[in-house]
Amino acid sequence: MPEVTVTEHLLLHQKRSPAATGQFTTLLNDLILSAKIIARSVNKAGLLDVLGGTGEVNVQGENVQKLDEFANRVLIYRMERSGALCAMGSEENADVIRVSEKLTRGDYILIFDPLDGSSNIDVNINVGTIFSILRRKSPSGDDATMEDVLQSGTEQVAAGYILYGPSTMLVYSTGQGVHGFTLDPTVGEFLLSHPDIRIPERGKIYSVNESYWHYWDEATREAVGYFKGTDNERGKPYSLRYVGSLVADFHRTLLYGGIFMYPMDQRDPQKPQGKLRLQCEASPLAFLAEQAGGLATDGTGRILDIKPQVLHERVPLFIGSRRDVQAVTDIYTRHAK
């Protein structure tokens, strides 16, 4: 069977994918080039001066890592020159990045986390770039509006992530299933390696940071206890696996099944809804989960139905196998009565 590149795969499915316009293909190609540049630096992280922090704090109140800053610069520079975008939103930037009228503008909006899990770089743990692609609603040629950017997850035309690990992988969906591509360094191309990924209906792994147990409400403790105990659908405890890098934990969940949880907690009164960002983390991964046959919820409602009110809105996240996520939803619903 001949090896299929990302672009070839997109073109082969173009008739079935309304997003696969020439502009969209250009956008994806520039995103792939950005990923290759970032992967090159990630793979040399122990040899180049890219480890550790910059000494700055980002809009999220988090210490900025050198590779965070590098990945963010690469993505902004390359993508604003793609000719396919009118605006971008980055986890590292407080405001929307509008493409200058001096450059060619397109009809798409890219929202991204440039390097998720970057605090793990120093100890050589998987990190990744998460992205969401929206189509503008305002007239072409004008400056993008906040209404263009603040769209619910159901409006995404594509979403995915690039995982930098033992191999570099691109996993994405345009609403026609989820497909994975592995970077072959000998030819410099992402080749189809995981066609039509499906999450198992029920898994046997749960993933959560249990050190926050004392900051959780009763519904959350019961939900986590469901997977730790024997009174569940399996009749025995699930195995605990937690990397602490969202893209790595989700990738394992996508392939093996189970559930990843980042519930709201009471550690920080300024962040009552939890830590994860809706538009650059939860929403794109929820899009992938549903396309692969899984579910994603904030505990009571579907992640993709949430319309953001601000760019860096945060949400709780429960994502993974359909029956495992449904079990959590049932527990939260019962506690809400």
Side-chain angles (χ1 to χ4, degrees), residues 213 216-227 331 334-335:
W213 179 274
W216 292 336
D217 59 20
E218 285 303 313
T220 303
R221 291 178 185 174
E222 183 179 335
V224 174
Y226 171 87
F227 298 105
I331 292 169
R334 188 169 67 250
H335 276 265

Side-chain angles (χ1 to χ4, degrees), residues 98-111:
R98 290 179 172 84
V99 175
S100 169
E101 60 184 10
K102 297 177 183 178
L103 300 171
T104 302
R105 290 170 168 172
D107 295 324
Y108 293 98
I109 295 153
L110 178 70
I111 301 177

Side-chain angles (χ1 to χ4, degrees), residues 5 31 53 77 89-90 95 110 122 124 136 174 202 225 276 308 335:
T5 68
L31 190 58
Y77 180 85
S90 168
D95 301 316
L110 178 70
D122 290 5
N124 206 22
R136 69 180 302 161
T174 58
R202 190 196 72 215
L276 300 183
H335 276 265

Side-chain angles (χ1 to χ4, degrees), residues 3-308:
E3 294 173 323
V4 179
T5 68
V6 179
T7 304
E8 287 171 339
H9 187 268
L10 186 66
L11 294 174
L12 284 170
H13 291 78
Q14 186 163 307
K15 291 182 180 178
R16 288 188 290 153
S17 178
T21 62
Q23 200 177 96
F24 180 85
T25 305
T26 299
L27 189 166
L28 190 63
N29 282 332
D30 278 301
L31 190 58
I32 289 167
L33 176 57
S34 301
K36 291 175 183 177
I37 295 169
I38 295 167
R40 182 182 62 191
S41 290
V42 169
N43 290 338
K44 294 180 180 179
L47 304 174
L48 304 177
D49 183 26
V50 292
L51 294 179
T54 64
E56 298 178 0
V57 176
N58 68 9
V59 65
Q60 313 296 340
E62 300 163 346
N63 293 324
V64 178
Q65 302 297 309
K66 291 179 183 178
L67 266 174
D68 262 329
E69 186 179 50
F70 172 77
N72 198 45
R73 284 202 318 267
V74 167
L75 282 161
I76 292 172
Y77 180 85
R78 291 242 55 92
M79 299 312 300
E80 69 180 353
R81 287 162 177 78
S82 70
L85 297 179
C86 58
M88 289 176 281
S90 168
E91 184 197 26
E92 298 299 322
N93 293 68
D95 301 316
V96 171
I97 306 159
R98 290 179 172 84
V99 175
S100 169
E101 60 184 10
K102 297 177 183 178
L103 300 171
T104 302
R105 290 170 168 172
D107 295 324
Y108 293 98
I109 295 153
L110 178 70
I111 301 177
F112 58 89
D113 181 346
L115 206 62
D116 175 78
S118 57
S119 61
N120 289 316
I121 277 282
D122 290 5
V123 288
N124 206 22
I125 289 175
N126 295 24
V127 294
T129 300
I130 305 173
F131 62 89
S132 168
I133 301 172
L134 302 163
R135 196 193 301 272
R136 69 180 302 161
K137 294 182 177 295
S138 61
S140 297
D142 295 347
D143 284 341
T145 67
M146 283 306 295
E147 280 301 305
D148 288 325
V149 177
L150 300 178
Q151 298 185 47
S152 66
T154 55
E155 302 290 337
Q156 292 175 105
V157 295
Y161 58 86
I162 300 104
L163 179 69
Y164 312 109
S167 59
T168 300
M169 278 194 70
L170 163 67
V171 178
Y172 88 109
S173 174
T174 58
Q176 302 291 330
V178 180
H179 307 282
F181 301 78
T182 300
L183 180 62
D184 183 342
T186 62
V187 295
E189 292 282 2
F190 281 96
L191 303 177
L192 181 63
S193 55
H194 295 69
D196 197 22
I197 298 170
R198 305 295 296 175
I199 299 180
E201 277 284 304
R202 190 196 72 215
K204 54 184 180 182
I205 296 171
Y206 77 104
S207 184
V208 68
N209 189 342
E210 288 202 51
S211 69
Y212 299 148
W213 179 274
H214 295 290
Y215 299 103
W216 292 336
D217 59 20
E218 285 303 313
T220 303
R221 291 178 185 174
E222 183 179 335
V224 174
Y226 171 87
F227 298 105
K228 292 174 62 174
T230 58
D231 188 17
N232 55 44
E233 198 173 317
R234 291 187 74 225
K236 56 184 177 181
Y238 285 53
S239 295
L240 172 63
R241 298 286 186 273
Y242 185 70
V243 177
S245 172
L246 172 62
V247 68
D249 280 312
F250 177 76
H251 186 68
R252 182 198 57 246
T253 304
L254 181 67
L255 296 182
Y256 291 167
I259 187 169
F260 172 84
M261 299 177 277
Y262 208 118
M264 63 184 294
D265 59 58
Q266 301 302 318
R267 285 177 298 141
D268 186 348
Q270 303 300 316
K271 302 173 185 176
Q273 292 302 311
K275 179 185 177 184
L276 300 183
R277 271 66 56 165
L278 173 62
Q279 287 198 273
C280 67
E281 293 174 315
S283 196
L285 297 187
F287 187 80
L288 294 176
E290 289 201 6
Q291 283 293 316
L295 290 176
T297 177
D298 62 0
T300 56
R302 183 186 180 212
I303 289 290
L304 294 183
D305 286 336
I306 301 172
K307 188 180 188 308

